[in-house]
Amino acid sequence: MPAVVVVGLQWGDEGKGKIVDFISEKADLAVRYQGGANAGHTVVLNGRTYRFHHLPVAALRGKHVCLASGMVIDPVKLIEELESLSREGIRPRLTIDGRAHIVLDIHKLLDEAEESSGKGVGTTKRGIGPAYTYKCARVGVRFSDLADTESIKPRLKKAIDMARALLSGVYNMDAELDVERVTQFLHEVTSRLGGYIGDVSLLVNETLDRGGFVILEGAQGTLLDIDHGTYPFVTSSNTTAGAACNSVGIGPKRVDEVIGVAKAYATRVGKGPFPTEMEEPVASTVRERGREYGTTTGRPRRVGWFDAVAVRYSIMLNGVTSVALTKADCLAGIDPVKVCLAYELDGQEIKSFPSSPYVLERCKPVYAELDGWEALSREEKLAALKGNFDALPKQLREYVDFLESLLACPIKYLSIGAERQETVIR
Ligand code: GDP
Ligand code: IMO
Ligand code: MG
């Protein structure tokens, strides 16, 4: 059995949670590989909505779930998440890699200060950027440090001095910060989460050696990747499939399959270029149909047409082996439906994704217009879910075929509703 990476191909919220849940029935292990509480992955099961911020969604199926070393974990939010699942009677086996970093209050303060300054990129304010900054500056705190908080006191002191200097020097803010308070917090984290700390890399490698099935769940999307995304309007981690190997601690040859998740349209939360952003009133119609409001922050998501230039770029970066196309049902009644085939830049047509967000900002989409489809009837949906793809409206099938030919990658899964079973395997 394989290791499968599930990665978003747009700017996040593609429906990764829904697809991971769908494929995870036979998983032996499920791992989140990067990011932290900035993610919001939703699973709808029998009319109930479950939201995950750190935990892999396979927790819902009672699977052994892991948080990999590439993550920055907010213990307060993680405990809330575990408690909320526990109230539903779900108490998953959990392993947190000792190498994963801990998001501290200073990180959240810094993130909020930057956003309040009006110069931020529109983050989730979950302290993600500062936590990764501290990690790279070698002043972060890892779960394995909890075993010896005395030894890390000099590092903690430096971390706090840096936060104080930034808050007062850059943001003109005073904050009461002291090492003792952070140490006390770390002791609380030890008592609540200490028992979950382990070696995720070893677990994953051993599970794969035994022939087990491991799902590596990405967060955010490829176009928010710190290197390959629309920098600086990105998150602070590598979100791509390649990063899964590094963040989990497995060799690149261990990944057998990369499922890229894309919406039948596009959304983006926060600032940054978005060439196919829709005009009103169609933007609001799609936003309402797709309930495009952030799972983590509740912010209305910006809505755009499917951008095949961007998604092709993401497929290339991730080595995607199959695509899962979600939310096609949310475009029902929209006519025509547009798809961006190329960009026009300074009078020339280009089909590559520019490295500069300022160049991308100047790109005008070149659209194809396709016939729209009506809302699926119950019969059409049921027949399609039983495997009869031809039962779906002709225009919707043509839309999927058209995207497949543009992307040059098989669209293996078609999601036509939020519920777990509303997924057609083509
Ligand atoms: P993620 O961050 O990629 O896991 O995506 P989110 O969970 O943030 O956002 C996707 C939203 O769309 C969630 O509310 C899902 O329940 C919902 N969803 C996923 N797939 C479908 C679909 O095919 N149709 C509809 N109507 N909703 C979907
Ligand atoms: P999931 O996993 C959509 C966006 C923020 C902001 C930028 C940086 O649910 O797809 P950050 O808090 O990470 O420093 O914010 O990234 N962003 C997301 N957008 N879905 C997400 O996660 C996101 N996580 C971060 O809106 O533009
Ligand atoms: Mg989300």
Side-chain angles (χ1 to χ4, degrees):
M1 290 286 263
V4 175
V5 177
V6 178
V7 63
L9 300 180
Q10 293 155 320
W11 284 274
D13 304 325
E14 297 90 347
K16 296 176 290 293
K18 146 97 202 225
I19 297 299
V20 174
D21 172 66
F22 183 74
I23 64 162
S24 62
E25 188 181 357
K26 297 208 168 84
D28 294 295
L29 210 55
V31 189
R32 236 304 279 289
Y33 62 81
Q34 40 69 233
N38 48 351
H41 298 175
T42 315
V43 177
V44 183
L45 187 58
N46 303 324
R48 296 205 63 164
T49 300
Y50 301 86
R51 295 188 177 85
F52 296 86
H53 299 291
H54 292 96
L55 296 172
V57 303
L60 197 54
R61 292 188 188 260
K63 302 291 176 182
H64 182 175
V65 292
C66 302
L67 305 182
S69 66
M71 289 187 70
V72 290
I73 298 165
D74 179 341
V76 181
K77 292 281 168 204
L78 176 58
I79 290 165
E80 276 174 25
E81 212 173 322
L82 286 167
E83 284 175 347
S84 125
L85 276 182
S86 173
R87 282 194 293 276
E88 304 277 339
I90 303 164
R91 292 173 195 91
R93 184 170 163 209
L94 168 66
T95 306
I96 303 173
D97 197 284
R99 299 167 190 85
H101 279 246
I102 298 177
V103 174
L104 302 171
D105 276 349
I106 48 174
H107 302 135
K108 291 189 253 188
L109 273 174
L110 287 166
D111 198 357
E112 274 181 31
E114 170 69 3
E115 288 300 310
S116 312
S117 75
K119 298 192 183 113
V121 301
T123 72
T124 58
K125 300 190 196 168
R126 293 293 169 92
I128 304 296
Y132 278 116
T133 304
Y134 271 59
K135 168 178 169 169
C136 291
R138 299 182 294 265
V139 284
V141 180
R142 310 199 300 174
F143 277 86
S144 57
D145 291 326
L146 294 176
D148 190 356
T149 47
E150 270 312 304
S151 298
I152 62 159
K153 278 216 166 134
R155 203 192 317 153
L156 268 185
K157 183 174 178 316
K158 190 169 168 194
I160 287 170
D161 287 346
M162 279 168 59
R164 196 180 289 114
L166 275 170
L167 286 169
S168 68
V170 178
Y171 302 108
N172 209 12
M173 279 172 63
D174 271 336
E176 275 187 40
L177 308 170
D178 73 84
V179 175
E180 282 317 313
R181 202 184 302 172
V182 181
T183 308
Q184 181 54 37
F185 171 71
L186 293 179
H187 288 153
E188 283 162 30
V189 175
T190 310
S191 75
R192 297 296 300 272
L193 298 175
Y196 296 118
I197 300 170
D199 189 330
V200 171
S201 165
L202 192 63
L203 256 174
V204 174
N205 278 289
E206 286 179 351
T207 305
L208 291 173
D209 288 344
R210 282 199 306 273
F213 176 25
V214 181
I215 298 180
L216 309 177
E217 177 175 335
Q220 292 77 55
T222 301
L223 303 172
L224 291 173
D225 181 278
I226 184 85
D227 288 310
H228 302 286
T230 52
Y231 188 90
F233 307 99
V234 291
T235 191
S236 298
S237 64
N238 285 112
T239 58
T240 43
C245 296
N246 195 55
S247 298
V248 172
I250 55 172
K253 286 167 95 173
R254 302 222 76 158
V255 172
D256 304 81
E257 215 184 314
V258 179
I259 301 176
V261 187
K263 257 181 222 186
Y265 47 98
T267 57
R268 169 159 211 169
V269 197
K271 293 185 198 164
F274 190 17
T276 63
E277 190 156 13
M278 288 175 184
E279 308 272 328
E280 290 298 346
V282 67
S284 292
T285 308
V286 177
R287 183 177 301 112
E288 295 314 313
R289 289 264 177 78
R291 299 199 198 141
E292 296 297 352
Y293 294 88
T295 309
T296 302
T297 59
R299 289 179 290 176
R301 296 172 180 154
R302 297 159 68 191
V303 186
W305 299 107
F306 190 92
D307 184 342
V309 179
V311 175
R312 253 195 324 258
Y313 169 69
S314 296
I315 286 175
M316 174 188 79
L317 287 173
N318 291 294
V320 169
T321 52
S322 62
V323 170
L325 191 73
T326 61
K327 304 192 90 161
D329 54 306
C330 303
L331 288 179
I334 310 266
D335 197 11
V337 177
K338 295 195 206 179
V339 176
C340 171
L341 307 174
Y343 300 141
E344 194 196 300
L345 178 67
D346 304 330
Q348 297 231 321
E349 204 170 283
I350 60 163
K351 288 192 170 175
S352 55
F353 195 75
S355 56
S356 160
Y358 312 110
V359 173
L360 185 60
E361 197 78 74
R362 291 195 285 116
C363 286
K364 302 266 173 296
V366 178
Y367 286 117
E369 292 192 357
L370 282 83
D371 292 337
W373 50 91
E374 292 304 315
L376 310 189
S377 69
R378 210 178 115 75
E379 290 70 34
E380 283 172 334
K381 218 172 194 177
L382 282 177
L385 296 176
K386 280 189 186 139
N388 180 10
F389 189 67
D390 289 342
L392 293 173
K394 178 169 153 283
Q395 298 87 339
L396 171 54
R397 282 185 278 128
E398 284 173 357
Y399 185 69
V400 178
D401 289 344
F402 185 63
L403 295 190
E404 190 168 63
S405 68
L406 284 178
L407 301 178
C409 186
I411 298 180
K412 183 170 166 191
Y413 305 94
L414 179 70
S415 173
I416 50 172
E419 282 278 348
R420 177 185 284 170
Q421 70 273 17
E422 290 180 308
T423 313
V424 183
I425 303 181
R426 287 174 79 228

